[in-house]
């Protein structure tokens, strides 16, 4: 092409006549040809087949000819129109007639394109007048219904001041919408262009393209954004004062420090960050941290790993809010020591470097005080009275380094902002087994309302199963207005107890106890007995009221009223709760009083010994309210934990965790397949979610009778209990699960004869119960710390989609708890799975010791591939403790 360009041709012909108006090769050709000479476009191949031969008898050939002419004028810098082109359409139509008159409807016998050719030549001249003779770029991908290219007034788009966008609808019969925006033109143009205007001044540049339309739009380069000199001077001042050292990508950090990451008391908090600066200086970095009620920062030296990533850790010893951040500075003495060591190995004379070290030590001694000043003075004295070799040893000594670090100026000191909050909670925030019951259903006599004394009688059995939290549904007085009957019916029989979530009656509201359960003295006896049985009481905090709640008379302004004066009942479509009314969180002028009253309810029960609260439907209440309430409670009672019962959208569930909820219900109930479980647990155990969201795996609830359990039988209950108990450190069950209760309302994910609306009597020794298996699962969890968190989880390959295999290990990896679960409750399943020998550095044919934690057997596994058979008639799962044989791990 260089030779052709040097030949000084007046023009060069393009291959336009063979272009289908869609393929990309034509734009590539234009870029090659324009370097040779101005491009002449041919709408029809000279001396070749006529354009009309491409089209069927029912197509409007004249439209195709006009389109070809318009494309040639838009793309070329000149036209070559074959002789007869102006009549070619008619001649071709005449030649293809089989019967006179066949195509009279398709082509008027008077078609003459002479005037169109004149218009095309005028268009070529108009484009040339704009100086459009430079680079051409495609703005749309090839093969689309509409093709868009842009031609510029300069050889390179970067130097262009304007361009002409050519929009081509290749379809002769159908309109097409534009695929690109023209104000501004997309980045494929190679520059900032906009202010689109039709070249002929008619129509809207961004309107849809008519069939066969070729539209030309003139665009201009947009002026770049500039700033005034005063702002530039401010920028210079800011740049000169900006930190020279970069502290970036800190972890753990939740939303840039807006919310606190979560850790447990005594747990090591590993902190990492990218720390670097320009040049070849030496950086020193400290992790600094303190409790919220402390003034002085504690320091931990950070260590450089690789690629400018630094690490350090600290372990808070107190429950409550903490803060941490990082400080970094340039250490001139450390840089000098490094250079001395390098030059020493190279045999370079170090007299100047020793003198530089003496000056730095002298400067540090001047600024120091106390014992450090004395140490530095002694070092200076020794330097003045020793040989060069001895002086070198003194400069490189660790004692000299440490003293300098304490006293020397911390040049370019920078502290990461913002300071990062950390919520340190008690271990039960991550590890607990919850048992949920309705206190009124604990009576040993059928149909008699249970009492707190009846609950006390159940405590040994609950503890024997290994549970350590007893969660009570609301224990408050229940309203009578619109009381629900059995199975949520609208009419209640005289002996129907109503839903405990319809809180409030003549006896009181959220700070009262249902009279049939007992008194506060009875409640305190229950707490004492629970503690003696190793159980902590959790209460339901449900912000909803029956129409009989005292607040409606005391504070009617706290509620939603219709214009006719009636109350607005609670709804969760398609469900309706006629026995419940909601408070109005943003009633005019009432926000502080209502919010404070709800906070005082929590404080009331804390002062009665409750530190665990399961919060009902928190996602239906304002987020600012929860953030304030939880922070206010924790400021006084840091060991209080809140469980979020928010079965809602993921982002809302995560936000509730960020603003302070310690734990959260999850989608676990609806995750049944291997892929669903793997994907969901991977999400929950990966940062950033893992830094603030603690999943609580309830296997069932009074509101949710899982579809899986409705048809799976005893094996299905074992499957779900095992998954919950081993995948998460937090798991829970609603009473009746151990008896495999699953009778549903037809076609519903709800229980028939729901305990929410009636008193239920159970025989806890009924045949087919899974109490022994639940007991063993909880014992295994307690004995193996690796199972006491949802973290540290790894899924392993099992060659059967009905079998899931996963493991958990502590950071030391001395052993591994390996779990295999069949997800099929009806048929035996076998699977080959990969035993992770590589995690101990053991070869694929190596051996490990294995303990079957459910059956008590011990044996040796050899080889990476192992086989398991899981029978739902026996145990549809297996839990093993796997450890390398003595001396067998690297």
């Amino acid at each position: 092409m260089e030779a052709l360009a040097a030949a000084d041709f007046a023009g060069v012909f393009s291959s336009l006549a063979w272009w289908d108006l869609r393929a990309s090769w034509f734009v590539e050709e234009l870029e090659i040809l324009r370097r040779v000479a101005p491009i002449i476009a041919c709408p029809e191949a000279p001396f070749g087949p006529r354009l009309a031969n491409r089209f069927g008898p029912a197509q409007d050939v004249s439209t195709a000819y006009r389109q070809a002419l318009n494309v040639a004028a838009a793309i070329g810098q000149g036209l070559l129109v074959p002789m007869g082109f102006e009549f070619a359409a008619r001649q071709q139509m005449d030649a293809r007639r089989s019967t006179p008159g066949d195509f009279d409807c398709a082509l008027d016998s008077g078609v003459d394109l002479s005037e169109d050719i004149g218009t095309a030549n005028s268009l070529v001249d108009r484009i040339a007048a704009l100086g459009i003779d430079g680079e051409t770029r495609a703005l749309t991908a090839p093969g689309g219904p509409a093709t868009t290219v842009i031609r510029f007034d300069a050889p390179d788009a970067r130097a262009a001041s304007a361009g002409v966008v050519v929009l081509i609808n290749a379809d002769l019969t159908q309109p097409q919408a534009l695929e690109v925006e023209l104000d501004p033109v997309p980045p494929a143009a190679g520059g900032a262009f906009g202010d689109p205007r039709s070249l002929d001044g008619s129509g809207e540049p961004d309107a849809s393209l008519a069939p066969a339309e070729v539209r030309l739009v003139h665009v201009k380069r947009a002026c770049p954004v500039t700033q005034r000199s005063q702002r530039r001077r401010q920028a210079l001042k800011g740049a000169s004062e900006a930190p020279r050292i970069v502290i970036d990508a800190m972890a753990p950090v939740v939303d840039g420090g807006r919310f606190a990451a979560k850790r447990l008391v005594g747990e090591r908090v590993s902190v990492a960050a990218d720390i670097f600066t320009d040049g070849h200086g030496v950086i020193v970095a400290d992790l600094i941290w303190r409790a919220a009620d402390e003034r002085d920062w504690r320091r931990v030296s950070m260590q450089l790993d690789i690629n400018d990533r630094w690490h350090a850790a600290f372990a808070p010893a107190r429950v409550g809010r903490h803060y941490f951040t990082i400080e970094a500075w340039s250490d001139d003495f450390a840089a000098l020591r490094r250079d001395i060591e390098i030059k020493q190995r190279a045999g370079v004379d170090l007299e100047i470097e020793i003198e530089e070290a003496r000056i730095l030590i002298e400067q540090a001694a001047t600024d120091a005080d106390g014992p450090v000043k004395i140490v530095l003075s002694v070092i200076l004295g020794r330097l003045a009275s020793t040989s060069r070799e001895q002086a070198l040893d003194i400069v490189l000594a660790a004692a000299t380094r440490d003293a300098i670090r304490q006293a020397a100026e911390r040049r370019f000191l920078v502290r990461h902002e913002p300071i990062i909050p950390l919520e340190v909670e008690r271990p039960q925030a991550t590890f607990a087994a919850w048992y949920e019951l309705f206190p009124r259903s604990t009576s040993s006599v059928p149909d008699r309302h249970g009492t707190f004394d009846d609950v006390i009688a159940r405590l040994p059995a609950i503890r024997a199963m290994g549970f350590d939290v007893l969660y009570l549904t609301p224990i408050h007085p229940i309203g009578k207005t619109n009381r629900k009957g059995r199975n949520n019916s609208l009419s209640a029989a005289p002996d129907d107890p109503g839903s405990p979530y319809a809180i409030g009656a003549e006896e009181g509201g959220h700070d009262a106890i249902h009279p049939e359960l007992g008194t506060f003295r009875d409640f305190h006896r229950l707490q004492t007995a629970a503690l003696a049985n190793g159980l902590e009481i959790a209460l339901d905090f449900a912000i909803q009221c029956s129409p009989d709640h005292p607040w409606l008379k005391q504070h009617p302004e706290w509620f939603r009223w219709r214009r006719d004066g009636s109350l607005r009942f609670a709804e969760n479509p398609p469900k309706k709760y006629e026995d419940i009314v909601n408070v109005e969180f943003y009633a005019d002028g009432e926000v502080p009083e209502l919010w404070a009253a709800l906070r005082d309810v929590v404080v009331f029960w804390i002062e009665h010994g409750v530190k665990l609260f399961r919060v009902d439907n928190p996602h239906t209440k304002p987020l600012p309210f929860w953030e304030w309430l939880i922070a206010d409670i924790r400021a006084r009672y840091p060991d209080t934990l809140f469980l979020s019962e928010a079965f809602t959208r993921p982002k809302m569930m995560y936000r509730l965790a960020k603003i302070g909820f310690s734990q959260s219900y999850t989608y676990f109930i609806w995750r049944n397949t291997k892929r669903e479980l793997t994907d969901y647990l991977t999400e929950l155990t990966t940062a950033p979610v893992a830094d603030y969201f603690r999943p609580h795996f309830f296997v069932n609830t009074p509101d949710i009778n899982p579809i899986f359990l409705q048809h799976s039988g005893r094996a299905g209950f074992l499957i779900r209990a095992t998954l919950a108990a081993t995948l998460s450190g937090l798991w829970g069950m609603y009473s009746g699960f151990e008896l495999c209760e699953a009778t549903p309302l037809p076609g519903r994910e709800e229980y028939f004869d729901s305990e929410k609306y009636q008193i239920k009597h159970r025989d806890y020794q009924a045949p087919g119960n899974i109490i022994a298996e639940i007991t063993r699962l909880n014992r295994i969890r307690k004995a193996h710390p690796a199972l006491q968190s949802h973290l540290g989880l790894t899924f392993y390959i099992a060659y059967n989609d009905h079998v899931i295999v996963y493991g958990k290990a502590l950071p030391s990896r001395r052993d591994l708890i390996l779990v295999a679960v069949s997800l099929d409750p009806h048929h035996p399943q076998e699977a080959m799975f990969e035993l992770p020998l590589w995690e101990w550095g053991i070869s694929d044919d190596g051996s490990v010791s294995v303990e079957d934690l459910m059956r008590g057997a011990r044996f040796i596994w050899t080889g990476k591939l192992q086989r398991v058979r899981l029978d739902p008639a026996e145990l549809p799962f297996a839990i093993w403790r796997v450890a390398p044989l003595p001396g067998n791990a690297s």
Side-chain angles (χ1 to χ4, degrees), residues 53 153 199 272 399 461 488 533-534 560 589 602-603 605 647 658 796:
N53 290 348
D153 61 357
L199 201 62
N488 201 21
N533 280 276
R560 297 180 182 182
V602 178
V603 172
W605 289 105
F647 293 113
K658 290 177 182 179
Y796 300 110

Side-chain angles (χ1 to χ4, degrees), residues 550-801:
W551 280 353
L552 274 94
K553 292 181 179 179
Q554 298 166 2
H555 299 283
E557 70 277 7
W558 289 359
F559 295 87
R560 297 180 182 182
W561 299 85
R562 293 188 175 91
R563 291 185 178 181
D564 63 1
S566 62
L567 279 168
R568 185 183 299 276
F569 299 117
E571 293 184 358
N572 181 18
K575 298 178 181 179
K576 291 186 178 181
Y577 305 102
E578 293 86 353
D579 55 342
I580 293 172
V581 294
N582 287 325
V583 296
E584 175 54 71
F585 280 87
Y586 288 98
D588 292 342
E590 302 303 330
V591 169
E593 288 77 11
L594 171 61
W595 291 27
L598 291 168
R599 183 271 319 275
D600 291 345
V601 168
V602 178
V603 172
F604 176 87
W605 289 105
I606 291 175
E607 291 177 348
H608 280 276
V610 178
K611 293 294 184 70
L612 275 177
F613 294 91
R614 178 266 197 190
V615 179
D616 190 69
N617 285 329
H619 58 289
T620 62
K621 286 77 181 175
L623 291 170
F625 165 75
W626 289 122
E627 187 169 6
W628 165 79
L629 181 143
I630 294 173
D632 186 87
I633 293 295
R634 288 227 177 100
R636 289 181 282 174
Y637 310 101
D639 55 345
T640 305
L641 302 179
F642 294 90
L643 167 60
S644 166
E645 189 253 358
F647 293 113
T648 182
R649 305 178 306 280
K651 289 182 174 59
M652 173 60 82
M653 295 170 71
Y654 290 158
R655 186 72 171 197
L656 287 164
K658 290 177 182 179
I659 63 176
F661 280 91
S662 305
Q663 310 164 359
S664 177
Y665 282 62
T666 68
Y667 299 140
F668 168 73
I669 281 180
W670 299 283
R671 298 297 184 263
N672 299 307
T673 69
K674 185 174 181 176
R675 178 64 179 271
E676 289 170 347
L677 289 164
T678 302
D679 289 350
Y680 190 46
L681 267 297
T682 300
E683 175 183 338
L684 297 182
T685 56
T686 304
V689 175
D691 286 328
Y692 58 82
F693 186 85
R694 295 197 187 101
H696 201 315
F697 283 3
F698 262 81
V699 288
N700 66 333
T701 78
D703 291 300
I704 304 171
N705 180 7
I707 300 295
F708 180 87
L709 296 180
Q710 293 178 17
H711 56 76
S712 65
R714 187 176 187 274
F717 283 79
L718 289 173
I719 289 168
R720 297 304 292 177
T722 303
L723 290 170
T726 58
L727 284 171
S728 178
L730 296 163
W731 86 289
M733 54 177 267
Y734 154 55
S735 56
F737 182 89
E738 67 268 46
L739 304 178
C740 303
E741 292 180 357
T743 304
L745 279 173
R748 304 281 289 277
E749 198 175 41
E750 299 179 52
Y751 289 97
F752 183 74
D753 286 340
S754 171
E755 194 172 359
K756 290 193 299 179
Y757 308 105
Q758 66 184 65
I759 294 172
K760 212 171 183 71
H761 180 74
R762 295 183 172 92
D763 175 6
Y764 287 98
Q765 298 305 317
N769 71 74
I770 57 171
I771 292 174
E773 290 81 358
I774 289 173
T775 302
R776 185 61 188 155
L777 282 171
N778 278 329
R779 287 178 181 172
I780 291 171
R781 280 163 46 87
K782 190 170 183 179
H784 297 278
L787 293 176
Q788 296 174 12
S789 167
H790 65 293
L791 303 176
L793 173 68
T794 304
F795 289 98
Y796 300 110
I797 294 175
Y799 298 95
N800 182 340
D801 285 342

